[in-house]
Amino acid sequence: MRYTTQMDAAKKGIITNEMKTVSEKEGIDVNRLRELVAKGRIVIPANKNHKNLSPEGVGEGLRTKINVNLGISKDCPDVEKELEKVRVALDMKAEAIMDLSSFGKTETFRRKLVEMSPAMIGTVPIYDAVGFYDKELQDITAEEFLKVVEKHARDGVDFVTIHAGINRETATTFKRNKRLTNIVSRGGSLMYAWMELNQQENPFYQYFDELLEICQEYDLTLSLGDALRPGSIHDATDASQIKELIILGELTLRAWEKNVQVMIEGPGHMAINEIPANIVLEKKLCHGAPFYVLGPIVTDVAPGYDHITSAIGGAIAASYGADFLCYVTPAEHLRLPTMEDMKEGIIASKIAAHAGDIAKNIKGAREWDHAMSRARQQLNWEKMFQLAIDPEKARRYRAESQPEHEDSCTMCGKMCSMRNMNKVMEGKNINLLREDA
């Protein structure tokens, strides 16, 4: 039996090779997985032209995945430098990489990225449109916007961020409800500007059915962008954000009718206490579609440390049901991330994702922590390094400060609680002062 997309196959009762791979990775029954894909609660972004993809599932009952944003810009156009970041991100087991390139040889970078990456690849086609056509934003036509999406799909990207929820209706809501930071989404601000300059409807909203046809042809997953995500805690959970979320829920149902897979993107900057309610709202208004969040960044006053503010919010969001975390680096709001910025952002996001998985009782999450605890109790340093989220840093810290006694560290020495409890539990004496202890 033939099928067009993973969702189409799932609805027809077909178990695809991609479903089998995800089932094995997650330890979930493949028939249960298929049912959730059919319902739209799990997506498997897998473009037909991404030949070396190792598929991942995003959604209900699965491990929380992380995404790494990379790409060239006008100020930093070095393709090879960004590709080296890609190699490191893949070595660090990032499940997704988003190409946010906005200048220069975007096609070259994107094609190399797809060719080399077993991780799923995402893009934001509107970023590419200005450079692709060498036109000012106002002069790009609706048809041309759609052609850029098709170009990215043909190149093999697995999901695209499309800001279809900021239509004339949501723009009116935005104008009526003043914000402290207006529209901070880059793609959202470009789409709003295009609508205002041309006094026309958002092309991605107006021609949503044509967009779905492209998605069907390549099995391209839609990541419905949050153009009106809050860029400050002041603007969180306001009328503009919620109005757009309602529209995204309506678009989700339209996409599912055409068997197109959908993720919903979410905030943004947000106080800790608002995060649980936002997860409930998204899941309710968008019918259980997987939720893909940037952060949330829980305070606005920590430039240089936003990998931490984001990890705090990401852990809370994941624990309440967010499915996919977009990493944030220390360079957020300040510059294009360096290699070290990227590494720190990946580790922070992986910690947040795993913390959320523990709370969600995802299969294997707690067992990982239990294994680490056993290694600590046994003072098995090599095992601890192997189990660490960042083995390289753990090994380096240990090597930089060698203890007098191998079964301790330089923090506690012979007063190490693990060391002494092991001795006591074995019926041995504890000598803290003598050299022979």
Side-chain angles (χ1 to χ4, degrees), residues 282-408:
E282 185 279 336
K283 293 289 185 178
K284 183 70 175 177
L285 293 174
C286 297
H287 319 288
F291 200 17
Y292 173 26
V293 296
L294 176 69
I297 292 173
V298 295
T299 176
D300 301 331
V301 298
Y305 298 91
D306 277 322
H307 60 311
I308 297 174
T309 63
S310 172
I312 294 169
I316 295 168
S319 73
Y320 279 90
D323 307 289
F324 196 14
L325 304 183
C326 186
Y327 94 148
V328 173
T329 76
E332 184 78 4
H333 305 110
L334 301 171
R335 68 177 185 203
L336 190 78
T338 64
M339 180 73 80
E340 287 307 309
D341 293 331
M342 183 195 74
K343 288 180 179 178
E344 289 192 52
I346 289 173
I347 295 300
S349 291
K350 289 179 76 171
I351 293 169
H354 179 60
D357 288 348
I358 291 170
K360 289 188 286 193
N361 287 312
I362 297 299
K363 186 175 182 178
R366 289 175 182 264
E367 288 75 9
W368 183 7
D369 286 67
H370 297 338
M372 176 63 86
S373 296
R374 280 191 292 273
R376 284 180 172 150
Q377 183 272 320
Q378 296 164 1
L379 295 169
N380 185 339
W381 296 98
E382 182 57 33
K383 189 66 174 178
M384 287 186 242
F385 298 149
Q386 293 172 10
L387 290 166
I389 276 185
D390 186 359
E392 180 183 337
K393 187 172 186 178
R395 288 182 188 276
R396 175 165 55 84
Y397 270 42
R398 174 75 174 169
E400 287 174 350
S401 186
Q402 288 291 330
E404 181 182 2
H405 296 273
E406 184 61 26
D407 59 353
S408 65

Side-chain angles (χ1 to χ4, degrees), residues 23 63 82 93 96 112 138 141 143 192 199 204 228 244 254 284 292 304 318 340 360 385 403 414:
S23 170
R63 288 180 298 106
E82 286 304 291
K93 310 300 182 188
K112 286 186 176 180
Q138 182 178 2
T141 67
E143 183 182 11
Y192 178 82
Q199 289 300 297
F204 293 125
L228 292 169
E244 182 181 34
R254 288 175 60 184
K284 183 70 175 177
Y292 173 26
E340 287 307 309
K360 289 188 286 193
F385 298 149
K414 291 174 69 175

